[in-house]
Amino acid sequence: MAYPTDLTEQQWHLIAHHFEAAHGRGRPPKHDKRLMVNAMLYLTKSGCQWRMLPTDFPPWQTVYDHFSRWNKQGVWERALDELTRAHRRQRKKVDAKLWHR
């Protein structure tokens, strides 16, 4: 199911590199990273409790573990900063077009 908080394809491609493993060791991830990020965005925007995360996302414990790890490593902040910068650049372009009409 798609949610209004889900990343667009363009947004995901912009930040996906932040969520890649630093090394190629270990087993492949069980859950898609984009789905994990979408779950975190859903939680943030909806304000729901971790345990009330809809079941079409990975288990809440898994999402929480990833969020906690990425938060401690600064990954989450870097990815969100990159999205914010891209949004502001796009907004400036739109404003400039409207201003010069």
Side-chain angles (χ1 to χ4, degrees):
M1 174 176 220
Y3 294 95
T5 53
D6 287 355
L7 292 170
T8 64
E9 198 68 34
Q10 182 180 9
Q11 290 169 326
W12 176 244
H13 285 297
L14 185 65
I15 65 168
H17 66 278
H18 291 288
F19 301 98
E20 294 171 359
H23 51 76
R25 294 177 283 172
R27 65 175 194 249
K30 184 174 181 180
H31 301 285
D32 179 67
K33 298 286 195 272
R34 182 176 179 178
L35 187 58
M36 296 290 243
V37 171
N38 282 338
M40 293 170 201
L41 292 171
Y42 177 87
L43 282 158
T44 302
K45 186 67 175 177
S46 71
C48 81
Q49 298 171 355
W50 286 99
R51 292 175 189 262
M52 295 181 73
L53 187 65
T55 56
D56 46 337
F57 289 119
W60 73 266
Q61 301 93 327
T62 304
V63 176
Y64 177 81
D65 288 345
H66 279 75
F67 174 79
S68 180
R69 187 174 335 115
W70 289 339
N71 198 38
K72 288 176 188 170
Q73 295 171 349
V75 172
W76 191 237
E77 185 175 1
R78 287 190 299 274
L80 291 178
D81 284 348
E82 191 161 352
L83 282 174
T84 300
R85 283 191 303 274
H87 175 76
R88 287 180 179 159
R89 280 192 304 271
Q90 186 62 34
R91 190 72 217 151
K92 276 185 177 180
K93 288 179 185 177
V94 169
D95 289 347
K97 286 179 183 176
L98 291 173
W99 185 257
H100 293 294
R101 281 189 172 179

